[in-house]
Amino acid sequence: MKAAVLRAARDVSEKPLHIEEVPAPELVPGQVLLRVRACGVCRTDLNIAEGELPLRKQPLIPGHQIVGEIVDGATSELPLGTRVGVSWIGGVDGDCAYCRRGLENLCDFPVFTGYTVHGGYAQYALARRDFVYHLPAELDDLHAAPLLCAGIIGFRSLRVAGVEAGDRVGLFGFGASAHLAIAVLRSWNCEVYVSTRGASHRQLAASLGASWVGAEADKPPVELDRAVTFAPSGDVVIAALSSLRRGGVVAINAIHLDRIPEFDYDRLLWGERQIRSVANMTRSDAHDFLSTAARIKLKPKVTVFSLDEANQALAAIKNDSIDGAAVIVP
Ligand SMILES: [Zn+2]
Ligand SMILES: [Zn+2]
């Protein structure tokens, strides 16, 4: 099969992915073999390709927002041809202290799709049978793919931030995850305040119902109940914190931050304000988000790339040169 293979991390401008023929994966008990119909491109893939996350498998086929159809390993619940989604959490041990507390997103022994095992930048991929999700018919392949990490983790970020119906919520950064989260927030009648760089991102935010849109360094005109930051920048976290009311929460939706700058505790954090990180996702986040997405007819904005263009897709994420999400169709 054809796949995009990462052998060593390097800057995207040096094309870290090699497009080549590799053996198709062989079915393993407990797994399904999928023919990949589409695979979303996530900022984490960029972090892996460029080495901000150390490589844990070499060579590696990245990609963890897989829409595929089952071509082997079918069961009565997952018959041949079933269309399923696969996300970043590709498996947990089910037995560690976190799993036993119901916190499988924090599992001591997780499997990460497209990171510790091969992912979906390929024509075929394996996935654990208990970590694939039925995809509602309302969501077609291209528009389902970006939901599978950006969407689910964006949804989890809203949960971690403790968003309640009608809240004033700030979104700092407006890429793939935020442009899905805003639709969920609007369906909960929240007022959404978006600070982001790039005029086209600001236009998109306004067209998706933001109450206010500003540039990266602009402060929303009201005190926020909740904020979610998406940029890999600690400065943005502090900007979000400085916009919160007392008791408010900033949830950081980033697997990697440059650093957190020093800040004034008395003025910014005191008053029971909280900063929380968002780590991974649980299967119930996935189920709840996908059914919400189908109900509100969530349709991400997507730009399609072929497998041959996988490096360009990563570059597009890095340079913020597309609105919404990038999707590879192998
Ligand atoms: Zn565990
Ligand atoms: Zn991701």
Side-chain angles (χ1 to χ4, degrees), residues 193-217:
Y193 296 80
V194 175
S195 293
T196 189
R197 67 177 178 181
S200 72
H201 287 194
R202 289 194 286 278
Q203 263 169 18
L204 181 62
S207 74
L208 293 174
S211 303
W212 172 89
V213 181
E216 200 176 16

Side-chain angles (χ1 to χ4, degrees), residues 42-45 64-65 88 149-150 153:
C42 177
R43 183 165 284 277
T44 303
D45 301 339
H64 57 268
Q65 304 188 90
W88 173 241
C149 177
I153 292 186

